[in-house]
Amino acid sequence: MSEVITIAIVAYNSSSTILETLNSALTQTYQAKNIELLISDDGSSDNTTVVASDWLQSNQHHFYRAALYKNKVNKGVSANCNIVWRNATGRWIKTIAADDILVDTCICDNLNYIKEHPEAQVLFSDAILFSGDLKNQKVAKNDQKLFAMTQAEQFNMLLKGCNILAPTSFMSKKTLESVGFADERYAMLEDYPLWYKILKQGIGLDYFEKETVYYRVGDSLSQHSEFIGNAKYLNSLYCFQKDCIWPELSYKDVFKIWDDYIIFKEKTLWLKFVGTKRSNTYLIYHYITCLFRPYRLYKMIRKFL
């Protein structure tokens, strides 16, 4: 018998997209009878849980096990992830947001890599960006240079910033347990602090070059190119940088710290006093603040050298 793999779906106000996510779990080339399907809803105000419950009633018999967890109040994405991660019984966990879609071979592709690299504990791949009903597709690749580095080098690179495609992650339950799962102090930021804890513990990040998920962009406030961002997310990111990243940096990185601070203030002040729209006026404001960001200017100059 093949081993049980957990697919963990995290949802919030996802009634219009969660069926696509659920169906992509069912149509995996890895047999559904060996898949544990866990869904956690973070206090949605729409009918996400009704849609998920109806779907489970018709399809849960295909899976090894299926469960839906309902938060009475919104706790944030970190706590929502922890619910399904802590309840998972599979040795490996594939996490997916309820507005993204798994490629049919996602589980098999990840397991094939692990079979050839049994030392792997946290694995990444590539994604296909899309909007609407799988239109306007574009391949998004992880930074292969990062994954070619040693664990120590990966950690130092992560201190400079995080551009890892979190939706492609495939993680060992044992590893998640060893680092204490997602850090719920940063309610809206489950991935960056998690990669930080994993690398700090001496565990490297693996990668293989293949698209395993469809990643929906342009349909949320935090992702849409016409909007600046989400205040709660920005606050979680800033607090994490201040608590964990900055203490790891050397005196040579003082401009990096200043840069993080300016970015946070630039966006949060605009959100507070003007709004979320990325207007031409905001772009002028943004370029002016760049004059006070020597680290940003340094990186821009390096690109041309």
Side-chain angles (χ1 to χ4, degrees):
M1 178 180 174
S2 299
E3 70 172 306
V4 173
I5 303 298
T6 300
I7 293 180
I9 299 176
V10 287
Y12 178 66
N13 287 347
S14 309
S15 60
S16 64
T17 59
I18 193 171
L19 285 179
E20 292 176 289
T21 311
L22 290 167
N23 287 330
S24 73
L26 181 60
T27 57
Q28 287 296 296
T29 54
Y30 195 75
Q31 288 188 310
K33 68 179 182 180
N34 297 316
I35 293 175
E36 175 183 60
L37 182 65
L38 304 183
I39 309 159
S40 183
D41 178 75
D42 198 19
S44 291
S45 57
D46 65 4
N47 65 335
T48 296
T49 57
V50 174
V51 174
S53 295
D54 289 347
W55 189 91
L56 285 176
Q57 192 168 23
S58 300
N59 295 284
Q60 63 183 351
H61 65 279
H62 294 293
F63 296 94
Y64 171 80
R65 184 171 86 92
L68 171 61
Y69 304 94
K70 304 175 185 179
N71 295 335
K72 293 182 179 180
V73 296
N74 181 260
K75 297 181 178 181
V77 65
S78 295
N80 204 31
C81 284
N82 280 344
I83 290 172
V84 279
W85 290 348
R86 292 180 187 277
N87 283 282
T89 63
R91 190 165 66 95
W92 291 94
I93 302 174
K94 174 61 209 173
T95 308
I96 188 82
D99 56 355
D100 297 331
I101 301 171
L102 299 171
V103 171
D104 287 348
T105 58
C106 175
I107 302 300
C108 285
D109 289 337
N110 279 282
L111 289 178
N112 286 338
Y113 179 91
I114 290 164
K115 185 177 180 180
E116 297 176 1
H117 304 84
E119 74 285 354
Q121 298 184 51
V122 180
L123 178 58
F124 298 90
S125 48
D126 296 325
I128 301 171
L129 308 182
F130 77 101
S131 60
D133 52 351
L134 291 178
K135 293 180 179 179
N136 304 316
Q137 294 184 15
K138 179 182 178 181
V139 173
K141 290 189 172 294
N142 265 303
D143 182 0
Q144 296 185 28
K145 293 181 180 178
L146 171 69
F147 296 102
M149 296 176 177
T150 64
Q151 172 274 325
E153 291 171 334
Q154 288 178 344
F155 181 73
N156 288 330
M157 184 63 72
L158 194 76
L159 297 179
K160 307 298 183 183
C162 180
N163 296 304
I164 298 172
L165 293 171
T168 69
S169 67
F170 193 77
M171 300 179 286
S172 159
K173 168 73 180 287
K174 185 177 180 180
T175 299
L176 285 171
E177 289 176 329
S178 72
V179 299
F181 298 95
D183 194 330
E184 296 184 21
R185 291 179 298 170
Y186 315 111
M188 301 304 294
L189 188 71
E190 86 290 359
D191 53 348
Y192 195 178
L194 182 60
W195 314 149
Y196 168 82
K197 290 198 296 181
I198 289 169
L199 285 168
K200 191 171 178 63
Q201 189 162 296
I203 300 168
L205 308 178
D206 279 58
Y207 163 82
F208 67 99
E209 190 177 4
K210 191 169 185 179
E211 299 85 43
T212 61
V213 298
Y214 293 96
Y215 181 34
R216 192 186 304 268
V217 295
D219 295 327
S220 73
L221 192 61
S222 62
Q223 296 172 348
H224 203 296
S225 60
E226 294 182 4
F227 294 95
I228 296 165
N230 180 289
K232 291 182 179 179
Y233 167 81
L234 291 171
N235 187 65
S236 288
L237 174 59
Y238 179 70
C239 289
F240 167 66
Q241 290 172 323
K242 186 171 59 173
D243 295 343
C244 301
I245 299 298
W246 294 358
E248 299 278 0
L249 299 174
S250 71
Y251 71 92
K252 297 179 182 179
D253 296 306
V254 63
F255 288 127
K256 165 68 168 64
I257 296 172
W258 176 252
D259 200 65
D260 292 340
Y261 174 78
I262 292 296
I263 292 171
F264 173 70
K265 285 299 183 180
E266 170 199 317
K267 293 186 176 181
T268 53
L269 287 174
W270 190 269
L271 288 171
K272 181 177 181 179
F273 294 109
V274 182
T276 61
K277 191 76 171 179
R278 189 185 293 270
S279 62
N280 289 333
T281 306
Y282 170 77
L283 292 177
I284 295 171
Y285 164 70
H286 168 71
Y287 290 130
I288 291 173
T289 59
C290 282
L291 297 175
F292 300 93
R293 295 171 54 191
Y295 184 76
R296 166 73 172 176
L297 294 173
Y298 166 72
K299 289 199 300 181
M300 290 176 65
I301 292 170
R302 283 196 63 181
K303 287 183 178 181
F304 297 99
L305 295 179

